[in-house]
Amino acid sequence: SDERRGTASRCLGELVRKLGERVLPEVFPILRDGLGSDAAATREGVCLGLAEVLAAARTEQLEEYLSDVVPVIRDALCDESETVRNAAGGAFDAMFRHGGADVASDIVPELLDKLDDDPVALEGLKQVLRAQPKILASVLPKLATPPIDARAAATLGALAEVAGPALPPHLEVLF
C-alpha cells in the first residue's frame, strides 16, 4: 500500500540519517536491484526510498555512490509506470541538491537523446523539469534549434506545461 511504502522509505531515510556511512554500502545495492522488479509498486517504493536516502545523507557521504545512483534514477525516470516516474522525479530532486549541474549533465542529455526512440523519455524529462525547472535552460537549445519540426514543437509544448515560471526568461531562444 502507499502508506506502507511511504513509512518504509521514511524509515530508510531515518536509518541513513543516524547511521550514514555504515549503512549506505548495504542500502544502495538493494535499491538498485529492487528497480529491476516486475512489480511497479516495488519500483515506486525503491524510488521513494532512494529519495529519502538521498535527502538524509550528507553530500560527502554520497560522493562515492553518485555514479551508481545516476543510472538508477535515469532508468526510473523512463519507467513505463507513471507512479514510478513520479517517485523518480523526487529522487532526482534529492540527488540534484547534492550534485547540482553534474547530476543534470549525467541525466538530461541521455533523456534528450532518447526522445526520438522512447516515448516515455519525454515523461521522464517532464519529471526532471518539475523537480528542477531551471534545467530548462540546458534543454531548450537542443530542442529549439531551427528548423523546429513538428516533433520538437510538440516536445517544447509538453515541456512548457511543466516549466511554468521558468519558461519566460527563455522565450527569446524560441522566437
Side-chain angles (χ1 to χ4, degrees):
S1 77
D2 288 343
E3 185 177 325
R4 286 174 47 196
R5 277 191 296 278
T7 301
S9 61
R10 285 188 298 278
C11 287
L12 193 53
E14 196 58 35
L15 186 66
V16 168
R17 222 177 320 285
K18 290 182 176 167
L19 300 176
E21 291 136 8
R22 291 186 297 229
V23 297
L24 288 175
E26 305 295 323
V27 168
F28 282 125
I30 292 168
L31 292 174
R32 183 188 60 236
D33 293 346
L35 198 58
S37 171
D38 291 337
T42 300
R43 296 191 309 274
E44 177 188 6
V46 164
C47 290
L48 292 171
L50 189 54
E52 290 288 337
V53 166
L54 291 167
R58 294 187 318 275
T59 301
E60 58 273 7
Q61 292 174 318
L62 292 176
E63 285 175 354
E64 72 178 272
Y65 302 104
L66 283 180
S67 63
D68 294 330
V69 174
V70 165
V72 170
I73 292 176
R74 186 177 47 234
D75 291 347
L77 285 166
C78 293
D79 195 275
E80 61 195 31
S81 167
E82 182 179 0
T83 59
V84 175
R85 290 191 306 269
N86 289 340
F92 174 83
D93 189 34
M95 189 171 65
F96 187 86
R97 293 172 196 214
H98 290 288
D102 291 338
V103 167
S105 68
D106 286 342
I107 291 180
V108 172
E110 284 206 32
L111 292 177
L112 288 168
D113 289 344
K114 288 182 173 185
L115 285 174
D116 290 333
D117 307 323
D118 184 357
V120 184
L122 176 59
E123 297 304 317
L125 203 49
K126 287 164 75 173
Q127 287 297 329
V128 166
L129 288 178
R130 276 188 191 100
Q132 293 292 329
K134 59 187 163 196
I135 290 174
L136 185 64
S138 66
V139 171
L140 281 180
K142 176 161 173 124
L143 295 176
T145 303
I148 298 176
D149 61 15
R151 186 197 58 76
T155 300
L156 286 168
L159 294 178
E161 290 176 20
V162 298
L167 183 60
H170 305 288
L171 287 176
E172 66 185 44
V173 172
L174 299 174
F175 301 106

